[in-house]
C-alpha cells in the first residue's frame, strides 16, 4: 500500500485517514475498493482525492474537522486524479483522462480536456504548468489562455 502525508495527516491507499499530531489516531476508514490517491492543503482545509475502480469514479473529499464531506464526484471514464496544484487562489485537478478541473472554493468546472493523460501540475505566480505522460510538451495556463511549450529532453 502507499502512504501519503500532508501537515501531520496521513492517507493509506487501503482507505485509512489518520492525523499524526499530537499522537497518531485514525480519523476514518473507508470501505475496500476506495483507493486514496493524494491529499492537498487548500484554503486552510485538507482535501482528499480518491478513486474507486469498481465504479470508475474519482472523488474530492474535504475534511471539515468534524466530518468528511464529499464535494464532487468525477463520472467520466478514467477519472483517476493524477495531480493537484494551486494557481491564482484556485485549486486545479488533473485527471488520467486528460481533463483539467478547477475549484474556486465554491464550484467545480472543467476548464479543458487534452488528448493525453495528465501526469503533473504545478502552479507559481505566473502560470499553471501541465505535464503529460510520455510527452515533452508542457502546457502553460495563465488563467485565461493555454500556451504550448516543448521541453528539450
Amino acid at each position: 500500500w502507499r502512504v501519503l502525508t500532508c501537515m501531520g495527516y496521513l492517507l493509506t491507499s487501503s482507505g485509512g485517514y489518520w492525523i499524526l499530531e499530537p499522537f497518531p489516531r485514525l480519523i476514518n476508514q473507508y470501505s475496500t475498493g476506495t483507493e486514496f490517491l493524494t491529499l492537498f492543503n487548500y484554503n486552510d482545509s485538507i482535501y482528499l482525492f480518491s478513486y474507486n475502480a469498481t465504479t470508475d469514479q474519482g472523488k474530492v473529499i474535504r475534511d471539515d474537522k468534524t466530518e468528511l464531506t464529499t464535494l464532487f464526484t468525477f463520472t467520466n471514464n478514467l477519472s483517476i486524479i493524477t495531480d493537484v496544484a494551486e494557481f491564482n487562489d484556485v485549486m486545479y485537478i488533473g485527471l488520467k483522462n486528460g481533463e483539467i478541473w478547477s475549484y474556486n472554493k465554491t464550484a467545480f468546472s472543467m476548464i479543458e480536456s487534452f488528448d493525453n493523460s495528465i501526469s503533473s501540475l504545478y502552479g507559481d505566480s505566473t502560470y499553471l504548468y501541465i505535464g503529460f505522460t510520455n510527452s515533452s510538451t508542457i502546457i502553460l495556463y495563465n488563467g485565461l489562455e493555454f500556451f504550448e511549450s516543448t521541453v528539450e529532453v
Side-chain angles (χ1 to χ4, degrees):
W1 48 272
R2 185 178 56 215
V3 175
L4 308 160
T5 59
C6 174
M7 297 182 359
Y9 291 88
L10 176 133
L11 283 176
T12 64
S13 59
S14 60
Y17 179 47
W18 295 74
I19 186 166
L20 302 176
E21 298 169 353
F23 54 89
R25 62 191 185 281
L26 183 66
I27 296 173
N28 200 320
Q29 178 66 48
Y30 278 83
S31 62
T32 57
T34 298
E35 177 184 358
F36 281 112
L37 304 170
T38 191
L39 64 155
F40 192 74
N41 183 18
Y42 170 69
N43 193 35
D44 295 324
S45 293
I46 301 293
Y47 291 81
L48 296 78
F49 299 88
S50 70
Y51 177 72
N52 186 312
T54 304
T55 62
D56 197 21
Q57 294 181 336
K59 288 187 179 183
V60 179
I61 303 163
R62 183 180 59 218
D63 182 347
D64 289 328
K65 305 298 181 216
T66 56
E67 65 183 355
L68 297 178
T69 303
T70 299
L71 296 179
F72 194 76
T73 300
F74 301 100
T75 57
N76 294 341
N77 291 340
L78 288 176
S79 60
I80 301 166
I81 294 98
T82 54
D83 208 359
V84 182
E86 184 175 349
F87 169 66
N88 282 349
D89 204 29
V90 174
M91 181 169 62
Y92 290 90
I93 304 157
L95 303 180
K96 189 168 189 158
N97 64 14
E99 295 175 352
I100 294 278
W101 288 75
S102 67
Y103 177 65
N104 63 4
K105 301 176 192 157
T106 56
F108 286 85
S109 300
M110 187 176 74
I111 61 165
E112 190 63 65
S113 181
F114 299 99
D115 292 334
N116 296 326
S117 177
I118 295 167
S119 61
S120 59
L121 296 175
Y122 176 77
D124 65 13
S125 60
T126 310
Y127 294 108
L128 174 70
Y129 299 86
I130 305 163
F132 301 95
T133 303
N134 298 323
S135 175
S136 60
T137 299
I138 293 179
I139 300 293
L140 291 76
Y141 177 63
N142 66 5
L144 301 171
E145 298 177 90
F146 292 90
F147 304 93
E148 186 174 312
S149 179
T150 302
V151 177
E152 303 258 344
V153 190

